[in-house]
Amino acid sequence: MAEPEDMPLEPEQAGPEPSKGPGDDAPGTTPDDTIAGETAELPGHEDAPTERRPPVAAADAPQPEGEPPRLRDVTGTIGDYLRSRLTALAGAVRAHRLAAALVAVAAIAAVVAAVALATSAPSLPSEELVSDDAAARLETPAYSSGSFGRDDIIVPREVDVRSIARDGSTGEAVADVMVTYSGSHGISAEKAATLRYSATGGAWALVGEPENVRVSWHTTEGVDEERVIKNAGSILERADRALGQDDAEGPTLSELYAGASVQAEASAPDVESQTQVVELLFTRESAYERYECRMAVSFAFRSASGQWEIEGVSVEDGARERSLEPLVGTWTGTFQSQEADGEKCLAARGAGLVVTISSVRSEAGVEQVSGTVSGVAHYHAAPSSDTAASDGDTPFSDVPFTAALVEESDGTLVFESALPEDVGGTVTLSLTFGSADDPSRAVARVTTTYVHEGSFFFVPFDETFTYEDLFSLVRSADAE
């Protein structure tokens, strides 16, 4: 409140005029006879020069000693001031009644608005309320690893309140939220939804079920290689379809490599494109043959399902070609029997047989094995009786050979080779691997053909003697 202005006190009402005594007619003889603003002349100093001084303020006037201001005088002055102000205000109100009424109405409206604001709901739900509701009402998405993914358990990690706004058509509040979930093996999910709120009892409350719910999956790790190997059958079927072999003659890859061993080597996953390539090697190997299939499988992680799926398969050439690589090695022969045109010569029993296969190849569509052989040849006529050895038994060592596949049936492979020509005769080598009854069976036959010049009644003629020695074969590494 402004400090009261110094107001001049009103002069008191004049009483009866006092009677004049001697000297009363002299001007300026009493203070009351002096007019404010005029100069009074003191007796005896009429001729003295006049000095004008400013009036002395009442507050600065010295107070008689022993007489402090009286409380009645102070309160009276303040009361007079307040009454004058109230009178002025009442006059202003009477002069401006319309403006005063408007001010009063505005004041009442402000009070009503303040009360309504204190008892009504906020204009929008708070982010904290929306975040808590989203965490409580949105269920954790169900994760399934599928055929090739990694097992994982995801839990909620973060709630992002993206927007809160009014729905002009309903008056409700609408909030868009995103909840992030993740696990310990690189799997994560983002679940977006819309929540609706209604103002009830001075507060916002969630109404209805979450709307526009959608889930997007993401991964930072690749496929589970063990699961890829476990589900290799489905990959082979996909490869057959890619190669158009469903209706092709002969076994399909699925049939040829059923039960085969599988090795997997995965590249680093591309986190940005959510893809990964895995190199697979299928191997089907028996005692004497091998099939290999190499393929590159492209996987893609689907954001809609959260699972790895096969996107493409590329198969290298030669997946259906047989390899005879298991035949490579040194084979030791143990003598079993001999078939001859006459009596037998059993020199091979002591000499034994060693066959070394150093390479296998296919030439003009014919499979061949090459190496060396060591044994004994029978370059002599038939003995008169079975014998352990005969003149003309000739050992041979590390004789090179190349044997071609001449027969294949019921799991049996037969290779034959003619050894280089010798002055004493000819030797042929036959190698047989596998049989219908025994897939691991391996035998060798060494046949010696010897031509002897004889005579009958002095008529010369050639006589041929044949010896076929049979050996069972064991790979040297297996024998050890």
Tab-separated table of all heavy atoms in Angstrom, residues 326-347:
chain	number	residue	atom	x	y	z
A	326	PRO	N	38.597	-93.825	-51.006
A	326	PRO	CA	38.864	-94.777	-49.912
A	326	PRO	C	39.723	-95.965	-50.318
A	326	PRO	O	40.267	-96.649	-49.430
A	326	PRO	CB	37.456	-95.224	-49.497
A	326	PRO	CG	36.573	-94.086	-49.867
A	326	PRO	CD	37.148	-93.558	-51.138
A	327	LEU	N	39.859	-96.213	-51.617
A	327	LEU	CA	40.696	-97.335	-52.041
A	327	LEU	C	42.183	-97.015	-51.967
A	327	LEU	O	43.030	-97.925	-51.991
A	327	LEU	CB	40.354	-97.737	-53.482
A	327	LEU	CG	38.940	-98.273	-53.718
A	327	LEU	CD1	38.733	-98.564	-55.199
A	327	LEU	CD2	38.702	-99.526	-52.891
A	328	VAL	N	42.527	-95.756	-51.910
A	328	VAL	CA	43.934	-95.362	-51.902
A	328	VAL	C	44.599	-95.860	-50.623
A	328	VAL	O	44.087	-95.683	-49.518
A	328	VAL	CB	44.068	-93.837	-52.037
A	328	VAL	CG1	45.523	-93.413	-51.867
A	328	VAL	CG2	43.540	-93.376	-53.386
A	329	GLY	N	45.731	-96.500	-50.808
A	329	GLY	CA	46.484	-97.021	-49.669
A	329	GLY	C	47.211	-98.291	-50.054
A	329	GLY	O	47.211	-98.726	-51.205
A	330	THR	N	47.833	-98.911	-49.083
A	330	THR	CA	48.583	-100.159	-49.296
A	330	THR	C	47.787	-101.329	-48.728
A	330	THR	O	47.369	-101.292	-47.558
A	330	THR	CB	49.962	-100.076	-48.623
A	330	THR	OG1	50.707	-99.004	-49.216
A	330	THR	CG2	50.729	-101.380	-48.815
A	331	TRP	N	47.622	-102.328	-49.555
A	331	TRP	CA	46.858	-103.508	-49.202
A	331	TRP	C	47.804	-104.712	-49.168
A	331	TRP	O	48.565	-104.938	-50.106
A	331	TRP	CB	45.735	-103.761	-50.202
A	331	TRP	CG	44.766	-102.608	-50.323
A	331	TRP	CD1	44.942	-101.471	-51.018
A	331	TRP	CD2	43.493	-102.509	-49.713
A	331	TRP	NE1	43.856	-100.640	-50.906
A	331	TRP	CE2	42.928	-101.265	-50.102
A	331	TRP	CE3	42.733	-103.343	-48.892
A	331	TRP	CZ2	41.675	-100.836	-49.694
A	331	TRP	CZ3	41.481	-102.930	-48.485
A	331	TRP	CH2	40.966	-101.686	-48.876
A	332	THR	N	47.698	-105.487	-48.118
A	332	THR	CA	48.534	-106.686	-47.962
A	332	THR	C	47.674	-107.921	-48.212
A	332	THR	O	46.586	-108.052	-47.611
A	332	THR	CB	49.141	-106.745	-46.555
A	332	THR	OG1	49.931	-105.575	-46.352
A	332	THR	CG2	50.014	-107.992	-46.398
A	333	GLY	N	48.159	-108.800	-49.124
A	333	GLY	CA	47.401	-109.994	-49.472
A	333	GLY	C	47.895	-111.242	-48.760
A	333	GLY	O	49.097	-111.477	-48.641
A	334	THR	N	46.955	-112.008	-48.275
A	334	THR	CA	47.237	-113.300	-47.638
A	334	THR	C	46.723	-114.409	-48.564
A	334	THR	O	45.546	-114.382	-48.971
A	334	THR	CB	46.549	-113.384	-46.269
A	334	THR	OG1	47.027	-112.311	-45.449
A	334	THR	CG2	46.854	-114.724	-45.605
A	335	PHE	N	47.602	-115.349	-48.897
A	335	PHE	CA	47.254	-116.409	-49.847
A	335	PHE	C	46.104	-117.260	-49.302
A	335	PHE	O	46.106	-117.669	-48.146
A	335	PHE	CB	48.480	-117.287	-50.117
A	335	PHE	CG	48.214	-118.398	-51.074
A	335	PHE	CD1	48.172	-118.178	-52.432
A	335	PHE	CD2	47.985	-119.700	-50.609
A	335	PHE	CE1	47.916	-119.212	-53.336
A	335	PHE	CE2	47.715	-120.735	-51.504
A	335	PHE	CZ	47.698	-120.487	-52.861
A	336	GLN	N	45.130	-117.529	-50.207
A	336	GLN	CA	43.969	-118.317	-49.838
A	336	GLN	C	43.922	-119.650	-50.614
A	336	GLN	O	43.726	-120.708	-50.019
A	336	GLN	CB	42.680	-117.521	-50.114
A	336	GLN	CG	42.584	-116.233	-49.318
A	336	GLN	CD	42.464	-116.471	-47.821
A	336	GLN	OE1	41.697	-117.345	-47.384
A	336	GLN	NE2	43.232	-115.734	-47.036
A	337	SER	N	44.087	-119.567	-51.916
A	337	SER	CA	43.970	-120.798	-52.718
A	337	SER	C	44.522	-120.540	-54.111
A	337	SER	O	44.830	-119.400	-54.476
A	337	SER	CB	42.507	-121.250	-52.799
A	337	SER	OG	41.738	-120.259	-53.476
A	338	GLN	N	44.605	-121.666	-54.863
A	338	GLN	CA	45.056	-121.554	-56.254
A	338	GLN	C	44.210	-122.447	-57.137
A	338	GLN	O	43.828	-123.547	-56.739
A	338	GLN	CB	46.536	-121.951	-56.404
A	338	GLN	CG	47.072	-121.769	-57.824
A	338	GLN	CD	48.462	-122.322	-57.998
A	338	GLN	OE1	48.632	-123.560	-58.143
A	338	GLN	NE2	49.469	-121.435	-57.994
A	339	GLU	N	43.892	-121.925	-58.312
A	339	GLU	CA	43.247	-122.729	-59.336
A	339	GLU	C	44.235	-122.873	-60.497
A	339	GLU	O	44.797	-121.864	-60.950
A	339	GLU	CB	41.946	-122.088	-59.810
A	339	GLU	CG	40.872	-122.034	-58.732
A	339	GLU	CD	39.571	-121.422	-59.240
A	339	GLU	OE1	39.520	-121.135	-60.470
A	339	GLU	OE2	38.636	-121.232	-58.442
A	340	ALA	N	44.434	-124.163	-60.978
A	340	ALA	CA	45.413	-124.411	-62.048
A	340	ALA	C	44.865	-125.466	-63.002
A	340	ALA	O	43.915	-126.189	-62.679
A	340	ALA	CB	46.736	-124.864	-61.454
A	341	ASP	N	45.471	-125.527	-64.217
A	341	ASP	CA	45.037	-126.523	-65.202
A	341	ASP	C	45.450	-127.922	-64.799
A	341	ASP	O	44.835	-128.909	-65.224
A	341	ASP	CB	45.635	-126.185	-66.571
A	341	ASP	CG	45.112	-124.853	-67.096
A	341	ASP	OD1	44.012	-124.453	-66.675
A	341	ASP	OD2	45.818	-124.203	-67.892
A	342	GLY	N	46.435	-128.010	-63.986
A	342	GLY	CA	46.913	-129.313	-63.546
A	342	GLY	C	47.184	-129.275	-62.070
A	342	GLY	O	46.412	-128.709	-61.275
A	343	GLU	N	48.333	-129.840	-61.697
A	343	GLU	CA	48.723	-129.820	-60.293
A	343	GLU	C	49.088	-128.382	-59.890
A	343	GLU	O	49.423	-127.542	-60.722
A	343	GLU	CB	49.900	-130.770	-60.068
A	343	GLU	CG	49.603	-132.214	-60.479
A	343	GLU	CD	48.416	-132.778	-59.732
A	343	GLU	OE1	48.244	-132.462	-58.536
A	343	GLU	OE2	47.636	-133.541	-60.333
A	344	LYS	N	49.060	-128.134	-58.615
A	344	LYS	CA	49.233	-126.770	-58.105
A	344	LYS	C	50.673	-126.498	-57.680
A	344	LYS	O	51.353	-127.384	-57.135
A	344	LYS	CB	48.307	-126.528	-56.922
A	344	LYS	CG	46.834	-126.672	-57.264
A	344	LYS	CD	45.970	-126.479	-56.036
A	344	LYS	CE	44.474	-126.619	-56.365
A	344	LYS	NZ	43.635	-126.436	-55.170
A	345	CYS	N	51.051	-125.249	-57.884
A	345	CYS	CA	52.306	-124.724	-57.367
A	345	CYS	C	51.965	-123.642	-56.362
A	345	CYS	O	51.379	-122.604	-56.731
A	345	CYS	CB	53.186	-124.192	-58.488
A	345	CYS	SG	54.691	-123.417	-57.889
A	346	LEU	N	52.311	-123.875	-55.122
A	346	LEU	CA	51.874	-122.969	-54.037
A	346	LEU	C	52.971	-122.000	-53.596
A	346	LEU	O	53.040	-121.609	-52.432
A	346	LEU	CB	51.410	-123.806	-52.848
A	346	LEU	CG	50.302	-124.843	-53.181
A	346	LEU	CD1	49.939	-125.643	-51.940
A	346	LEU	CD2	49.074	-124.138	-53.739
A	347	ALA	N	53.776	-121.583	-54.530
A	347	ALA	CA	54.856	-120.662	-54.176
A	347	ALA	C	54.317	-119.309	-53.687
A	347	ALA	O	54.965	-118.616	-52.901
A	347	ALA	CB	55.758	-120.465	-55.385
